[in-house]
Amino acid sequence: MSLAAAATPTKQLRQLCGTVLAMEAIVIGLAIPVAIVLEHLRHGVAGGVGGGLAVCALLLSGLVGRPRMAWALVAGSVLQVLVIAVGVVVPAMYILGAIFAALWVTGIWLAHRLAATSPPAPASSASASPAPASPAPRSPIPAFPAPASPTADASSLLPGAPASPASGTPRP
């Protein structure tokens, strides 16, 4: 199954893959100062390449899984390869890029698995059978016990209240 053919506009795909790309954009942005300070890359090159990849990741995170945006999955996969390739300059990006690529593939797989196991929505409400009647809702207020004697008043129901006038004994 190709990525373009597998791109169905599902909520799960948008959430999973969009989250992976958004988090990846943060990691790419944090790799820019590392490339400048530790790897002595010029500011313009590090900012341009890293910033461009981060912006692409953010844009794709908003587009992935939307209707008629099947190309976003392919572009996200290409982005994963480019992030791994940044490891040439910042070696830690080999590992981080591989982790995000694994999350990307897992997100696509899991979203399609969830979409395949979820029941299809009914075509229209007119063709659907009526829902069974539900039992009467329970009151959220608990029922208080009845007074022990007919002469007891409401104040005797409270904890720590004085003794009941009818019995002369304190209530538990």
Side-chain angles (χ1 to χ4, degrees):
M1 174 187 312
S2 72
L3 286 177
T8 57
T10 62
K11 182 179 178 182
Q12 293 90 2
L13 185 68
R14 252 192 331 267
Q15 288 176 339
L16 291 170
C17 293
T19 302
V20 167
L21 287 172
M23 294 298 113
E24 190 170 17
I26 293 171
V27 170
I28 293 169
L30 291 173
I32 294 171
V34 172
I36 294 169
V37 174
L38 295 180
E39 303 302 326
H40 305 292
L41 198 63
R42 287 184 288 160
H43 292 72
V45 174
V49 172
L53 288 174
V55 167
C56 286
L58 282 177
L59 290 174
L60 287 173
S61 72
L63 295 175
V64 70
R66 301 240 181 229
R68 296 183 308 275
M69 295 289 175
W71 60 269
L73 280 179
V74 175
S77 299
V78 169
L79 180 72
Q80 301 308 314
V81 172
L82 292 174
V83 170
I84 293 172
V86 169
V88 170
V89 178
V90 180
M93 291 305 289
Y94 282 131
I95 296 167
L96 292 172
I99 290 170
F100 277 106
L103 288 171
W104 176 255
V105 171
T106 303
I108 294 171
W109 172 76
L110 190 57
H112 288 293
R113 184 173 174 199
L114 289 173
T117 59
S118 64
S124 68
S125 59
S127 65
S129 61
S134 62
R138 295 182 63 190
S139 172
I141 302 173
F144 289 104
S149 68
T151 60
D153 60 354
S155 65
S156 67
L157 295 176
L158 299 173
S164 172
S167 66
T169 60
R171 287 190 54 102

